[in-house]
Amino acid sequence: MERKILRTECPDSKGLIAGITGICFEHQLNIIRNTEYVDPVSGQFYMRTELEGQFNDAALLQQLDQMLPAGSERSLLPVSRRKRMVILVTRESHCLGDILMKVFDGSLQLDIAAVVGNYPELADLAERFGIPFHHVCHLDKSRQAHEQALLEVIESYQPDYLVLAKFMRILTPDFVERYPERIINIHHSFLPAFIGAKPYQQAFERGVKIIGATAHFVNNALDEGPIIEQMVSRVDHNYSAQDMAKAGRDVEKAALTKALKLIQEDRVFVHGNKTVLL
Amino acid sequence: MERKILRTECPDSKGLIAGITGICFEHQLNIIRNTEYVDPVSGQFYMRTELEGQFNDAALLQQLDQMLPAGSERSLLPVSRRKRMVILVTRESHCLGDILMKVFDGSLQLDIAAVVGNYPELADLAERFGIPFHHVCHLDKSRQAHEQALLEVIESYQPDYLVLAKFMRILTPDFVERYPERIINIHHSFLPAFIGAKPYQQAFERGVKIIGATAHFVNNALDEGPIIEQMVSRVDHNYSAQDMAKAGRDVEKAALTKALKLIQEDRVFVHGNKTVLL
Amino acid sequence: MERKILRTECPDSKGLIAGITGICFEHQLNIIRNTEYVDPVSGQFYMRTELEGQFNDAALLQQLDQMLPAGSERSLLPVSRRKRMVILVTRESHCLGDILMKVFDGSLQLDIAAVVGNYPELADLAERFGIPFHHVCHLDKSRQAHEQALLEVIESYQPDYLVLAKFMRILTPDFVERYPERIINIHHSFLPAFIGAKPYQQAFERGVKIIGATAHFVNNALDEGPIIEQMVSRVDHNYSAQDMAKAGRDVEKAALTKALKLIQEDRVFVHGNKTVLL
Amino acid sequence: MERKILRTECPDSKGLIAGITGICFEHQLNIIRNTEYVDPVSGQFYMRTELEGQFNDAALLQQLDQMLPAGSERSLLPVSRRKRMVILVTRESHCLGDILMKVFDGSLQLDIAAVVGNYPELADLAERFGIPFHHVCHLDKSRQAHEQALLEVIESYQPDYLVLAKFMRILTPDFVERYPERIINIHHSFLPAFIGAKPYQQAFERGVKIIGATAHFVNNALDEGPIIEQMVSRVDHNYSAQDMAKAGRDVEKAALTKALKLIQEDRVFVHGNKTVLL
């Protein structure tokens, strides 16, 4: 008995649920949980089906391909396979630390292949958890040369996803295009409020009563990719910009690790510039 | 083109989703949204299917009955049919007022058939919204006689549900049994904390930092029915018991009207002493 | 025995708390609660002192004026005096309705002098609560002529504050300058996200996972005045822009009435473009 | 220039704030922040004054002692002095891990003197952060003998506070009495809901829609000491008892570290069975 996730994405038409679940039934697979969404504007259909049983992947997928309309995407992913992540950091430790702690205690079931920093400060923390750390310094390098150096390290690990855990550098379009829907960033504001640099300073100057953090996929427009998760925390006039930044750490790490959990469970579908979480 | 909700509840077995959605497909019905849950302990299956198209109710239900296992329950409910509520109150106005305002502005699509109070204070408020008010005084009456008087008024309206919107009297088992899973109460605490009388006084004495409210179905054990919705609000040492009660009004009305919205949309399934919200 | 709020605002210097509370002590006044804040950047001092006893206002204020540095502002406000509000609305009822309900049940202790709408739809609701309603139509009028007509109605009530309870028109600088720190608006987004028109449509298009509402003073820059209160609510991919707008009603009304409660209790100090809530 | 916290606790009387802040002014100390509370029932006065300047502790305290009424307690604590904690654990790592990470990144400014576990599992984690770990096994020992062994280890570190970071054993009254208002526990429920063992199992069985965690001082009644902080998290019917326990980890660690931050900043006053947070 194995457990797998079937993900389906295609233009909507009548009978899709019946068709897909019917094929699963023919294969004598048990549906543990089924969640679907049809976007009423675009008419795009999304479904996540958690299946249990004995799988004949090739036959199952072939039957699905015959039934599904043109332009469909589907995948069948074993629950037991851990996704492989490379984490990029700068100097702040709270997001990296929370990921490492959650992998340590089983709250996240991911493989952290390596940590790459443009500063060396977090080498010690990564190594305490037995994770290789690479210092790829950006000083005295062009942006292209630095990204080339990053890519060499990253590619040696063949990751499924890159996690920007407070990586404070903007990536070029060339870099981003290599990992479509595979780079997850934590932005330290409640996007789209306070796009860009120093969001806590901006929040302080605006006098907001709530701060937030946003975990999102990175695309080529700064701070504009599909949002996966957002969390917030109350502040008041007693908070300096630095106090807000400190208070923000807890929501940053919580939003990022929640997003990673959703990725781990194959729940995140990208629909244009949005996510559908099933 | 009509829109209806198909609710199905039965012992789980392989092929249920395929079977049900297959019959919907045969009837050329479009599935707008489908949500299901299988309880892993009891193996009970719950599904809510939002359908659009031209319905032949009798044929559809007959086919479903042939396919579904013994012990199944299913219903097909037009979205356009407004559920009919009788609201029971005592003297506090905030829950009643919020229901009336939300029906007024279309946030809730329910028919408020009547308001019944054991005190007369809220007659004026109900009548401002054009809702008949009945004062059924409990003074100088036995509990049985009072409930009999309530029943006479209530039954004249043939309600789908009774809503206890801060009705501060305990109902007898005889009364409750007449309306199984049809009486919704708002309890002014985060159940199961502070069961019984004066929960804000209890919360104050315990020095809690968060207060809450619980909307639940009423069964025969005091404050013990299936929970539909809970909401909370932060308090601190500055709050007296009265301040907590005032602060609690907002979460009480929000939790109750959220529960009514779930009922309105046929999303609430009862599973033992719990609810499944689909 | 009376209860009054002493509000003090001045440049910080050593000994201010001792000086102010010393004078209160000379007058044999009991301090029920004292809250203060010094802005570390500007060095501005703010204090709210809740006093109980027998007051000689003139003598107390004279002594304070002698002690306080140049550029100080202070006021002594009886708790029992209800602030007088004129509410401006357009067509949406939820904020007006919640204010009226909360005044009705004593949660807000304010005098609602009148409701003024640029459409007539809410006349009925205001009148159900015995509040005069004025329809001041903006059609076929220049902005100046419309504001002149509004002012005539508003001024006849001599309000302490104007409350924009979903008043969907932008006020001119001339109008706003007449009521410095006396106009409270509810903006239907988590400012500064989604400034301007149709914030829920913007939020929908951006795919946010949390929506919000912001109660703020109105100044001459659109959606830019000092923020008094913000509240948020979770949404997901199932919400259309209209669903978000409906879900937003609850946080809009809650944020606005919370702000009015803070105003009622003389807790709001304006410091540049921010508020200090004591 | 130094910064210290003056904490005062005494029966209320007129002139206390003026008296205390007047003495601070005589000493040419600058008040950075002053917060006070008078309990209206007991008439007890609490004040926390954050002072900056050059301190003559002995003279300042002597003058205060002369001015304050009988039964007063006051203390003057340098902000720079780190409180010394011994952490007791069993096998779960998330609370210990979050404390260690927050001390590591400066979010908490505490000295973690040692970690003591009744199981050895967390030795490795503590040692990764350079903290001594002691395994004090409870097996084959009477409760008294085990506590005696714990005490020997704990006392060798002379801690200011004990932190029970998921220490799953009940302490005897003898033990608790040695550390009045100095033992902080995290209870994995929203107290007083689900007192005692297996609160997530209880929460699951009751079908709650929100779970919580409570950080509190330990006194001799199980789960009954003064509450310092509570936090909550939404759950739904999809959560098993184990899922709730996993989801609860984030609020447990957040509530506990928030309580430790309040302790660090000398903000927690105990008033009967409650806390006043200034």
Side-chain angles (χ1 to χ4, degrees):
Chain A
M1 290 282 280
E2 221 185 336
R3 198 174 277 212
K4 298 194 178 187
I5 308 295
L6 175 64
R7 288 167 54 105
T8 315
E9 186 178 337
C10 63
D12 191 29
S13 65
K14 276 184 199 166
L16 278 172
I17 303 177
I20 298 166
T21 57
I23 291 169
C24 295
F25 181 50
E26 279 181 50
H27 281 251
Q28 285 299 303
L29 297 168
N30 195 25
I31 296 178
I32 302 296
R33 193 164 304 168
N34 192 69
T35 339
E36 56 82 49
Y37 174 68
V38 180
D39 185 70
V41 178
S42 65
Q44 190 73 354
F45 171 91
Y46 301 88
M47 194 159 90
R48 177 187 184 274
T49 311
E50 202 170 329
L51 294 162
E52 198 176 52
Q54 287 181 311
F55 288 82
N56 181 337
D57 286 31
L60 181 68
L61 292 172
Q62 192 183 13
Q63 277 179 270
L64 284 167
D65 288 342
Q66 282 164 6
M67 188 273 291
L68 289 170
S72 297
E73 286 178 47
R74 84 300 179 271
S75 53
L76 187 64
L77 305 151
V79 167
S80 60
R81 186 190 169 278
R82 283 173 166 248
K83 289 169 181 58
R84 197 168 166 76
M85 326 304 262
V86 167
I87 304 180
L88 277 69
V89 299
T90 294
R91 277 192 280 214
E92 283 179 274
S93 63
H94 56 281
C95 286
L96 174 62
D98 205 43
I99 294 170
L100 295 176
M101 283 301 311
K102 283 186 163 153
V103 171
F104 177 83
D105 75 14
S107 299
L108 283 177
Q109 295 177 339
L110 299 168
D111 271 355
I112 310 302
V115 177
V116 182
N118 60 318
Y119 283 94
E121 273 86 342
L122 301 180
D124 180 43
L125 178 62
E127 284 157 11
R128 285 181 201 190
F129 286 85
I131 311 290
F133 181 91
H134 298 266
H135 175 208
V136 180
C137 183
H138 62 286
L139 300 171
D140 302 322
K141 282 202 193 76
S142 71
R143 189 167 292 273
Q144 278 68 24
H146 184 237
E147 288 194 350
Q148 191 52 44
L150 287 174
L151 281 172
E152 273 164 35
V153 173
I154 291 165
E155 281 309 297
S156 73
Y157 289 101
Q158 294 289 319
D160 296 310
Y161 292 91
L162 302 188
V163 181
L164 310 186
K166 304 290 286 178
F167 181 64
M168 305 309 277
R169 309 221 356 126
I170 294 167
L171 297 167
T172 64
D174 278 359
F175 187 103
V176 170
E177 272 160 23
R178 283 171 175 265
Y179 301 98
E181 299 174 17
R182 290 172 56 203
I183 308 177
I184 299 142
N185 184 45
I186 181 70
H187 183 79
H188 39 322
S189 93
F190 183 75
L191 287 176
F194 312 126
I195 285 173
K198 301 204 171 184
Y200 290 116
Q201 184 63 34
Q202 293 182 56
F204 170 73
E205 284 166 11
R206 185 62 189 89
V208 296
K209 301 300 184 188
I210 294 179
I211 55 170
T214 305
H216 63 101
F217 286 117
V218 176
N219 65 12
N220 279 321
L222 177 64
D223 298 335
E224 284 292 343
I227 293 170
I228 305 170
E229 175 62 308
Q230 298 188 293
M231 289 189 182
V232 293
S233 182
R234 288 193 85 84
V235 293
D236 62 38
H237 59 266
N238 289 302
Y239 285 69
S240 67
Q242 290 86 331
D243 293 335
M244 286 187 184
K246 277 196 182 177
R249 288 175 188 167
D250 277 346
V251 279
E252 288 170 22
K253 74 189 195 193
L256 179 58
T257 54
K258 180 70 191 300
L260 294 181
K261 178 92 168 165
L262 291 165
I263 295 280
Q264 167 195 314
E265 295 177 344
D266 293 307
R267 295 186 185 278
V268 185
F269 293 73
V270 173
H271 171 242
N273 200 40
K274 301 180 188 182
T275 61
V276 172
L277 307 176
L278 296 181
Chain B
M1 292 282 280
E2 221 184 336
R3 198 173 278 211
K4 298 194 179 187
I5 309 295
L6 174 66
R7 288 167 54 104
T8 315
E9 187 177 338
C10 62
D12 191 29
S13 66
K14 274 184 199 164
L16 278 172
I17 302 177
I20 297 166
T21 58
I23 292 169
C24 295
F25 181 50
E26 277 181 50
H27 280 250
Q28 284 301 301
L29 296 168
N30 195 24
I31 295 177
I32 301 296
R33 194 165 302 170
N34 192 69
T35 340
E36 57 82 51
Y37 175 69
V38 180
D39 185 70
V41 179
S42 65
Q44 189 75 355
F45 171 92
Y46 300 88
M47 193 159 89
R48 177 189 185 273
T49 310
E50 202 170 327
L51 294 163
E52 197 176 50
Q54 287 181 310
F55 288 82
N56 181 337
D57 286 32
L60 182 68
L61 292 173
Q62 193 184 12
Q63 278 179 268
L64 284 167
D65 288 343
Q66 282 164 7
M67 189 272 292
L68 291 171
S72 297
E73 285 178 48
R74 85 298 177 271
S75 54
L76 187 64
L77 304 152
V79 167
S80 60
R81 187 188 168 282
R82 282 171 167 250
K83 287 169 182 59
R84 197 168 166 77
M85 326 304 264
V86 166
I87 303 180
L88 276 70
V89 298
T90 294
R91 278 192 280 214
E92 283 180 274
S93 63
H94 55 282
C95 285
L96 175 61
D98 205 43
I99 295 169
L100 295 176
M101 282 301 311
K102 283 186 163 151
V103 171
F104 177 83
D105 75 14
S107 299
L108 284 177
Q109 295 178 339
L110 298 168
D111 273 353
I112 309 303
V115 178
V116 182
N118 60 319
Y119 283 94
E121 274 86 342
L122 299 180
D124 179 43
L125 178 63
E127 284 157 11
R128 285 181 200 190
F129 286 85
I131 312 290
F133 181 91
H134 298 265
H135 175 209
V136 181
C137 183
H138 63 286
L139 301 171
D140 302 323
K141 283 200 192 76
S142 71
R143 189 168 292 273
Q144 278 67 26
H146 183 238
E147 288 194 350
Q148 190 53 44
L150 286 173
L151 280 172
E152 273 163 35
V153 173
I154 292 165
E155 281 309 296
S156 73
Y157 289 101
Q158 295 288 317
D160 296 311
Y161 292 91
L162 302 188
V163 181
L164 310 186
K166 304 291 284 179
F167 182 64
M168 306 307 279
R169 306 211 12 115
I170 294 166
L171 297 166
T172 64
D174 278 358
F175 187 102
V176 169
E177 273 160 20
R178 283 170 176 263
Y179 301 99
E181 299 173 17
R182 288 172 57 202
I183 308 178
I184 300 141
N185 183 46
I186 181 70
H187 183 78
H188 39 320
S189 92
F190 183 77
L191 286 175
F194 311 126
I195 286 174
K198 304 204 173 187
Y200 290 116
Q201 184 63 36
Q202 292 183 57
F204 170 74
E205 283 166 12
R206 185 61 189 89
V208 295
K209 302 299 184 189
I210 294 178
I211 55 170
T214 304
H216 64 101
F217 286 116
V218 176
N219 64 12
N220 279 323
L222 177 62
D223 299 333
E224 285 291 343
I227 293 171
I228 306 170
E229 174 62 311
Q230 298 190 294
M231 289 189 183
V232 293
S233 182
R234 288 194 85 84
V235 293
D236 62 39
H237 60 266
N238 290 300
Y239 285 69
S240 67
Q242 291 87 330
D243 293 334
M244 286 188 185
K246 278 196 182 178
R249 288 175 187 168
D250 276 345
V251 279
E252 289 170 20
K253 73 189 196 192
L256 179 57
T257 55
K258 180 69 192 300
L260 294 181
K261 176 92 170 166
L262 291 165
I263 295 280
Q264 167 196 312
E265 295 177 343
D266 294 305
R267 295 186 184 280
V268 186
F269 293 73
V270 173
H271 170 243
N273 201 40
K274 302 181 189 182
T275 61
V276 172
L277 306 176
L278 297 182
Chain C
M1 291 284 278
E2 222 184 334
R3 198 173 278 210
K4 297 194 180 187
I5 309 296
L6 175 64
R7 287 166 55 104
T8 316
E9 186 178 336
C10 62
D12 191 28
S13 65
K14 275 184 198 166
L16 278 172
I17 302 178
I20 297 166
T21 58
I23 291 170
C24 295
F25 181 49
E26 278 181 49
H27 280 252
Q28 285 299 302
L29 297 168
N30 196 23
I31 295 177
I32 301 296
R33 193 165 303 169
N34 192 69
T35 340
E36 57 81 52
Y37 174 69
V38 180
D39 185 70
V41 179
S42 65
Q44 190 73 355
F45 171 92
Y46 300 87
M47 193 159 89
R48 178 189 185 272
T49 311
E50 204 171 326
L51 295 162
E52 197 177 49
Q54 286 180 312
F55 288 82
N56 180 338
D57 286 31
L60 181 69
L61 291 172
Q62 193 184 12
Q63 277 179 268
L64 284 167
D65 287 342
Q66 283 164 6
M67 189 273 292
L68 290 170
S72 296
E73 285 178 48
R74 85 294 179 273
S75 53
L76 188 64
L77 304 152
V79 167
S80 60
R81 186 189 168 280
R82 282 171 167 249
K83 289 169 181 59
R84 196 167 166 76
M85 326 304 264
V86 167
I87 303 179
L88 276 70
V89 298
T90 294
R91 279 191 279 215
E92 282 180 275
S93 63
H94 56 282
C95 286
L96 174 62
D98 205 42
I99 294 170
L100 295 175
M101 282 303 309
K102 282 186 164 154
V103 171
F104 177 84
D105 74 15
S107 298
L108 284 176
Q109 295 177 340
L110 298 168
D111 271 354
I112 309 303
V115 178
V116 181
N118 61 319
Y119 283 93
E121 272 86 342
L122 300 180
D124 179 44
L125 178 62
E127 285 158 10
R128 285 180 200 190
F129 286 86
I131 312 290
F133 181 91
H134 298 266
H135 176 208
V136 180
C137 184
H138 63 287
L139 300 172
D140 302 322
K141 283 201 192 73
S142 71
R143 188 167 293 273
Q144 277 67 25
H146 183 237
E147 288 194 350
Q148 192 50 46
L150 287 173
L151 280 172
E152 273 162 35
V153 173
I154 291 165
E155 281 310 296
S156 72
Y157 289 101
Q158 294 289 317
D160 296 311
Y161 292 91
L162 302 188
V163 181
L164 310 187
K166 304 290 286 179
F167 181 65
M168 306 308 277
R169 306 214 8 119
I170 294 167
L171 296 167
T172 65
D174 278 359
F175 187 102
V176 169
E177 273 159 24
R178 283 171 174 266
Y179 300 98
E181 298 174 17
R182 290 172 55 203
I183 309 178
I184 298 140
N185 183 46
I186 181 71
H187 183 79
H188 39 323
S189 91
F190 182 76
L191 287 176
F194 312 125
I195 286 174
K198 302 204 171 186
Y200 290 117
Q201 183 64 33
Q202 291 182 57
F204 170 73
E205 284 166 10
R206 184 62 189 90
V208 295
K209 301 301 185 189
I210 295 180
I211 56 170
T214 305
H216 64 102
F217 286 117
V218 176
N219 64 11
N220 278 321
L222 178 63
D223 299 335
E224 284 292 343
I227 293 170
I228 305 169
E229 174 62 310
Q230 299 190 291
M231 289 189 183
V232 293
S233 181
R234 287 193 86 85
V235 293
D236 62 37
H237 59 268
N238 289 301
Y239 285 69
S240 66
Q242 291 87 330
D243 293 335
M244 285 188 184
K246 279 196 183 180
R249 288 176 187 167
D250 277 345
V251 279
E252 289 171 20
K253 73 189 195 192
L256 179 57
T257 54
K258 179 69 192 301
L260 294 181
K261 178 92 170 165
L262 291 165
I263 295 281
Q264 167 195 313
E265 295 177 344
D266 294 306
R267 296 186 185 277
V268 186
F269 293 73
V270 173
H271 170 244
N273 200 40
K274 302 180 187 181
T275 61
V276 172
L277 306 177
L278 296 182
Chain D
M1 291 282 279
E2 220 184 336
R3 198 172 278 210
K4 296 194 180 187
I5 308 295
L6 174 64
R7 288 166 54 105
T8 316
E9 187 177 338
C10 63
D12 192 28
S13 66
K14 275 185 199 165
L16 277 172
I17 302 178
I20 297 165
T21 59
I23 291 170
C24 295
F25 181 50
E26 278 180 49
H27 280 251
Q28 284 301 301
L29 297 168
N30 195 25
I31 296 178
I32 302 296
R33 194 165 303 170
N34 192 69
T35 339
E36 56 82 52
Y37 175 70
V38 181
D39 185 70
V41 179
S42 64
Q44 190 75 353
F45 171 92
Y46 301 89
M47 194 159 89
R48 177 188 185 272
T49 310
E50 202 171 327
L51 294 162
E52 196 176 51
Q54 287 181 310
F55 289 82
N56 182 337
D57 287 30
L60 182 69
L61 291 172
Q62 193 185 13
Q63 277 179 269
L64 284 167
D65 287 342
Q66 283 164 6
M67 189 271 293
L68 290 170
S72 297
E73 285 178 47
R74 84 299 179 273
S75 53
L76 187 64
L77 305 152
V79 167
S80 60
R81 185 187 169 283
R82 283 171 166 250
K83 288 168 182 59
R84 196 168 167 77
M85 327 303 265
V86 167
I87 305 179
L88 276 70
V89 299
T90 295
R91 278 192 279 214
E92 283 180 274
S93 62
H94 56 283
C95 286
L96 174 62
D98 205 43
I99 294 170
L100 295 176
M101 281 302 310
K102 282 184 164 152
V103 171
F104 176 83
D105 75 15
S107 298
L108 283 177
Q109 296 178 339
L110 299 168
D111 272 353
I112 309 303
V115 177
V116 182
N118 59 320
Y119 283 94
E121 273 86 343
L122 300 180
D124 179 43
L125 177 63
E127 284 158 11
R128 285 181 200 189
F129 286 85
I131 312 289
F133 180 91
H134 298 265
H135 176 209
V136 180
C137 185
H138 62 286
L139 301 172
D140 302 322
K141 285 202 191 73
S142 72
R143 188 168 293 273
Q144 277 69 23
H146 183 237
E147 288 193 350
Q148 192 51 46
L150 286 174
L151 280 172
E152 273 163 36
V153 173
I154 291 165
E155 281 310 297
S156 73
Y157 290 100
Q158 295 289 317
D160 298 309
Y161 292 92
L162 303 187
V163 181
L164 311 185
K166 304 290 285 177
F167 183 65
M168 306 309 278
R169 303 207 20 111
I170 295 167
L171 296 167
T172 65
D174 278 357
F175 188 101
V176 170
E177 273 159 22
R178 285 172 173 264
Y179 301 98
E181 299 173 18
R182 289 171 57 202
I183 309 178
I184 299 142
N185 183 46
I186 182 70
H187 183 78
H188 39 322
S189 92
F190 183 75
L191 287 175
F194 311 127
I195 286 173
K198 301 204 173 185
Y200 291 116
Q201 184 65 34
Q202 292 182 58
F204 170 74
E205 282 166 12
R206 185 61 188 89
V208 295
K209 301 300 185 189
I210 294 178
I211 56 170
T214 304
H216 64 101
F217 286 117
V218 176
N219 65 10
N220 278 324
L222 177 63
D223 299 335
E224 284 292 342
I227 293 170
I228 305 171
E229 175 61 310
Q230 298 190 292
M231 289 190 184
V232 293
S233 181
R234 289 194 84 84
V235 292
D236 63 38
H237 59 267
N238 289 302
Y239 286 69
S240 67
Q242 291 88 331
D243 293 334
M244 286 188 185
K246 278 196 182 179
R249 288 176 187 168
D250 277 345
V251 280
E252 289 170 20
K253 73 188 194 192
L256 178 57
T257 54
K258 180 70 192 301
L260 294 181
K261 177 93 170 166
L262 292 164
I263 294 280
Q264 167 195 314
E265 296 177 343
D266 294 305
R267 296 186 184 280
V268 185
F269 293 73
V270 172
H271 170 244
N273 201 38
K274 302 181 189 181
T275 61
V276 172
L277 305 177
L278 296 182

